Amino acid sequence: MAATLFTQNIIACIWDFDKTLIPEYMQSPLFRRYGVDEATFWAETNALVENYRRRGYTLASEISYLNHLLTYVLQAEWPASTTSSCRRAARRSVSNPGLPGFFEASKAWVADKQEYRKHDIRLEHYVVSTGSRR
């Protein structure tokens, strides 16, 4: 059998989480729970990245916000969060309309197409996010 040009049969949809699958940042429920002003937190985080840059260091914003969350914990802005308290707060996040049902419905739509089935083409969804997980 001759090799085909395309040997992959999985279509991968890769999604960002914050402000894509949910209408806010995943940390927003924690901010509300502990009374942290979200705009101030992000302004401080962005300033940290710039501060490090001026000192000759490159700090990714994803790492900066995680470090800054720890600063809030260490300064008692909020108590040390446990995994269970973070999960409880995350449950307060609301998915955008149609989610998560869209993932299974779109996979089923692809699986239902005869022309895709004959080539074993499948659809998979992946969520890419830094730091926290829901």
Side-chain angles (χ1 to χ4, degrees):
M1 184 163 140
T4 61
L5 178 61
F6 302 105
T7 59
Q8 298 298 316
N9 63 339
I10 297 174
I11 300 168
C13 291
I14 302 170
W15 303 91
D16 181 47
F17 189 72
D18 297 334
K19 296 191 168 192
T20 303
L21 301 180
I22 63 171
E24 60 188 359
Y25 291 107
M26 71 177 83
Q27 300 80 11
S28 297
L30 285 172
F31 294 148
R32 287 190 295 273
R33 179 177 180 175
Y34 296 115
V36 173
D37 181 73
E38 192 165 351
T40 299
F41 175 85
W42 292 116
E44 292 168 348
T45 297
N46 293 334
L48 284 172
V49 173
E50 178 58 25
N51 186 4
Y52 277 104
R53 189 197 59 76
R54 283 194 309 269
R55 294 168 48 198
Y57 299 100
T58 301
L59 181 64
S61 59
E62 293 83 8
I63 300 302
S64 179
Y65 99 78
L66 289 170
N67 285 340
H68 201 42
L69 282 174
L70 293 176
T71 301
Y72 271 64
V73 170
L74 292 173
Q75 292 179 352
E77 295 289 333
W78 67 43
S81 296
T82 63
T83 300
S84 61
S85 67
C86 287
R87 284 187 178 145
R88 279 193 305 275
R91 283 188 208 108
R92 294 184 185 103
S93 290
V94 176
S95 297
N96 279 324
L99 295 174
F102 167 78
F103 298 129
E104 288 305 316
S106 58
K107 286 170 63 175
W109 184 86
V110 169
D112 190 47
K113 298 293 181 197
Q114 176 59 33
E115 60 270 30
Y116 297 159
R117 274 200 317 271
K118 81 177 175 187
H119 297 289
D120 193 30
I121 294 174
R122 290 171 278 144
L123 178 65
E124 295 181 359
H125 295 280
Y126 298 90
V127 177
V128 177
S129 195
T130 302
S132 305
R133 77 177 185 190
R134 191 170 179 189

